Amino acid sequence: MSFVSVTDVWQRYGARSIIERVNLEVAEGEFVSIVGASGCGKSTFLRLLLADETPSRGEIRIDGGAPAREPGRERGVVFQKYSVFPHMTVRDNIVAAESFSRGLGRFFGAKLRAARARADETLERIGLAHVAGNYPATLSGGMQQRLAIGQALTARPRILLLDEPFGALDPGTRIAMHDFLTELQADTQMTVFMVTHDLSEGFKLGDRVLVFDKPRWDPHAPEAFGATITYDFDARDEGVPFQHILDEYPRLAAH
Amino acid sequence: MRLINRRPARPMAVFLAALPFVAVGVAYWIGSEIRLSANPADKLLPAPETIVATAKQLFTEGDRRSGQILLWADTLASLRRLFLGVGLAAALATTIGVLIGMLPYVRRTLSDFVAVLSMVPPLALLPILFIVFGLGETSKVVLIVVGITPFIIRDLSQRVLDIPHEEIVKAQTLGASTGVIALRVVLPKIIPRLIQSVRLSLGAAWLFLIAAEAVAAESGLGYRIFLVRRYLAMDIILTYVIWITLLAFLIDWALKAASRAAFPWLEESL
């Protein structure tokens, strides 16, 4: 049942504990929002999920596979910035998602034409077809992030990790991006982890909202203890659980 | 209005840009005039007319003995050495710089070594190069390579390290191997910087070239200058100096134009 399982994960740099005792089971297709104060380790946790860092203790498995030691195609990622390649056109950025795993990182001839055609379809779907030949620097922040998400999904990862993906966008664009992401997730049934500063964004998009905080605190050694998941909210149905429970279990209704 | 907010308009800007050139020219002309009026045979500051006449002769008339136009032969010989040296240095520095920037094992091994190496004054090595490689072309090319490679390596490896970690991680999540990351992410981002780095080190490259030619050569711009120095032929020396400056300027300009044409994404991200 559980797709991503995090078992007793700790991360410390030297004497500094960042996160401790994190246990988590996530089902396939769930959208998990991760919130918390600055410096509470939520980005560290995302890097651990990404396998960009290895935990000092514990392990993270996807679909029962071996714990990863470096980032790979299983895990897609979109950062707040620098998520697309500035030296490639928008179309080539999408093609790269397919070609980078090849020997030379390039397609040639017929394969290249086919990949470009597929990339154009993807761009059509994410609404960037009109800028296919442009370089990312000419795109607005929202369009760049849409490209980054499209690129990450083109590589067909098992899970998608988003590190404050809309943090640098203006409020209007941000709401448009929420709809975009919700639609994509409904289409692909992707398992998503999203770190965000914005509580309402977390609740709006997520099926679950995890809060990271430090449960133990030593005022003489503020770095001695790390953060962990202190709340795990059910964010479906606008964050109000049990309001549809009668639909599921009609027997509970009072007679 | 504050001085920092005053900007020259177009005609004024052109005038200001031309001013130092004109000033130097006039100062030279006055100096030459004063010396020549005291002693018409003075060789130290030849009159501008003399320089122009000499230059015309140098560019068009062949040597009396061989019939070869020496200035063009010198230019060809020098540019060959320069391009060979700078080209080799660029290729070597890109390879090592990218390896140092990308691979922690190579970085641990080489980065301190290169830092120390770049402190060795290349001209002090010139005698060794002459002894090891002989007095021919090799030693001159090697001097240029030895002189500018460490600088370019340090610059490029730092640039590779400056590539946002996010981009490298992103490439990995798309399944890229180390080689693919080098070919498709690091190299394309580093080449424009390489051109800039080469532009910055061209001055040093010319210095090493002329120094090597001055010590031992049979042709070349530096060789000629140091040869005619014996006859105090200031008109020839000045012509050569102006010619070298012009060549250096043209090469720099060509590299800048090439970089602009080849990397449109860089322009757009500025």
Side-chain angles (χ1 to χ4, degrees):
Chain A
M1 164 68 202
S2 146
F3 185 59
V4 178
S5 66
V6 178
T7 326
D8 192 31
V9 161
W10 298 59
Q11 181 67 321
R12 63 162 58 96
Y13 308 130
R16 212 151 56 95
S17 273
I18 307 297
I19 55 178
E20 56 181 42
R21 288 175 297 148
V22 173
N23 287 287
L24 181 66
E25 303 290 330
V26 173
E28 185 158 17
E30 259 190 311
F31 192 124
V32 181
S33 301
I34 300 167
V35 299
S38 296
C40 69
K42 55 189 192 299
S43 287
T44 302
F45 182 59
L46 202 80
R47 280 201 296 279
L48 290 171
L49 284 172
L50 182 58
D52 189 21
E53 286 179 23
T54 328
S56 350
R57 210 202 286 179
E59 57 185 30
I60 298 171
R61 292 173 189 274
I62 297 180
D63 207 8
R69 296 170 59 204
E70 58 179 6
R73 266 174 94 82
E74 283 194 314
R75 301 146 156 87
V77 70
V78 173
F79 298 104
Q80 185 174 353
K81 285 202 294 183
Y82 308 119
S83 274
V84 292
F85 301 112
H87 57 283
M88 295 182 192
T89 62
V90 169
R91 184 187 290 117
D92 286 348
N93 261 290
I94 300 286
V95 172
E98 293 185 43
S99 67
F100 267 26
S101 53
R102 300 310 176 92
L104 281 172
R106 268 180 203 285
F107 287 126
F108 299 98
K111 270 190 178 167
L112 178 62
R113 280 192 293 279
R116 286 210 169 126
R118 282 197 299 278
D120 283 338
E121 276 169 37
T122 308
L123 290 175
E124 195 73 54
R125 205 160 50 243
I126 60 178
L128 293 176
H130 59 293
V131 288
N134 288 23
Y135 287 100
T138 62
L139 270 53
S140 71
M143 287 160 97
Q144 285 192 26
Q145 289 307 75
R146 242 185 302 165
L147 174 61
I149 294 170
Q151 184 191 43
L153 290 177
T154 304
R156 301 187 187 288
R158 308 294 302 272
I159 62 174
L160 180 63
L161 305 166
L162 309 173
D163 194 356
E164 296 183 34
F166 313 132
L169 305 181
D170 62 86
T173 315
R174 195 183 274 228
I175 286 168
M177 289 298 293
H178 291 166
D179 297 342
F180 169 73
L181 188 58
T182 309
E183 259 175 52
L184 263 188
Q185 211 240 342
D187 282 356
T188 55
Q189 286 302 309
M190 183 65 62
T191 311
V192 182
F193 291 83
M194 179 181 72
V195 164
T196 177
H197 268 306
D198 185 344
L199 269 180
S200 60
E201 180 178 270
F203 274 94
K204 179 180 166 187
L205 294 175
D207 297 319
R208 277 164 86 175
V209 176
L210 307 180
V211 182
F212 271 76
D213 202 358
K214 289 185 179 182
R216 299 190 285 171
W217 178 258
D218 181 348
H220 303 291
E223 293 182 337
F225 302 113
T228 188
I229 299 173
T230 50
Y231 292 98
D232 182 351
F233 291 107
D234 185 341
R236 286 168 297 185
D237 303 326
E238 319 265 295
V240 185
F242 309 124
Q243 57 175 328
H244 295 300
I245 197 165
L246 290 184
D247 303 341
E248 240 177 285
Y249 305 102
R251 286 192 305 119
L252 291 178
H255 290 290
Chain B
M1 205 174 177
R2 285 182 189 82
L3 221 46
I4 53 166
N5 293 326
R6 287 165 180 248
R7 284 162 211 286
R10 184 74 191 158
M12 186 62 173
V14 173
F15 170 75
L16 285 176
L19 189 62
F21 293 99
V22 175
V24 168
V26 168
Y28 179 87
W29 179 69
I30 294 173
S32 154
E33 199 70 356
I34 292 172
R35 285 191 70 99
L36 284 173
S37 64
N39 172 15
D42 179 65
K43 296 194 97 178
L44 215 57
L45 297 180
E49 307 92 74
T50 321
I51 297 178
V52 171
T54 309
K56 216 166 142 193
Q57 197 185 342
L58 286 172
F59 274 101
T60 54
E61 282 178 30
D63 184 41
R64 246 173 294 165
R65 208 144 41 86
S66 61
Q68 203 182 20
I69 300 179
L70 288 178
L71 187 130
W72 291 112
D74 288 337
T75 306
L76 215 66
S78 284
L79 285 185
R80 228 186 113 236
R81 291 167 189 148
L82 187 79
F83 286 145
L84 216 59
V86 172
L88 278 176
L92 198 66
T94 309
T95 314
I96 300 177
V98 166
L99 287 175
I100 289 179
M102 283 185 74
L103 308 176
Y105 269 93
V106 179
R107 186 153 63 240
R108 274 273 172 268
T109 315
L110 286 185
S111 75
D112 288 342
F113 179 67
V114 172
V116 170
L117 211 61
S118 69
M119 296 302 160
V120 177
L123 282 179
L125 296 179
L126 188 54
I128 303 178
L129 297 181
F130 277 138
I131 292 167
V132 175
F133 295 105
L135 297 175
E137 296 298 295
T138 318
S139 52
K140 299 172 189 68
V141 172
V142 171
L143 178 67
I144 296 177
V145 174
V146 168
I148 65 175
T149 305
F151 164 76
I152 306 183
I153 290 179
R154 291 181 79 184
D155 188 33
L156 287 190
S157 58
Q158 191 52 49
R159 285 297 148 152
V160 175
L161 287 169
D162 286 345
I163 294 177
H165 182 60
E166 284 91 334
E167 271 181 48
I168 305 291
V169 170
K170 180 85 189 199
Q172 294 182 61
T173 64
L174 301 180
S177 62
T178 303
V180 169
I181 295 175
L183 281 178
R184 300 288 326 263
V185 183
V186 173
L187 270 178
K189 302 197 72 164
I190 277 318
I191 298 298
R193 184 62 210 181
L194 171 70
I195 293 180
Q196 266 197 317
S197 217
V198 164
R199 283 177 63 196
L200 286 176
S201 46
L202 265 176
W206 275 104
L207 166 72
F208 298 134
L209 172 72
I210 291 183
E213 287 179 344
V215 175
E218 278 149 20
S219 66
L221 298 164
Y223 161 75
R224 195 69 54 196
I225 290 180
F226 277 79
L227 183 75
V228 300
R229 177 193 58 141
R230 296 177 197 160
Y231 316 115
L232 215 66
M234 284 297 280
D235 48 347
I236 300 181
I237 294 179
L238 284 172
T239 306
Y240 267 76
V241 169
I242 295 169
W243 176 235
I244 292 172
T245 312
L246 189 69
L247 284 176
F249 181 79
L250 285 177
I251 295 172
D252 185 62
W253 178 84
L255 282 173
K256 193 161 100 181
S259 167
R260 256 199 208 149
F263 309 108
W265 55 272
L266 204 64
E267 280 296 294
E268 281 162 20
S269 63
L270 286 176

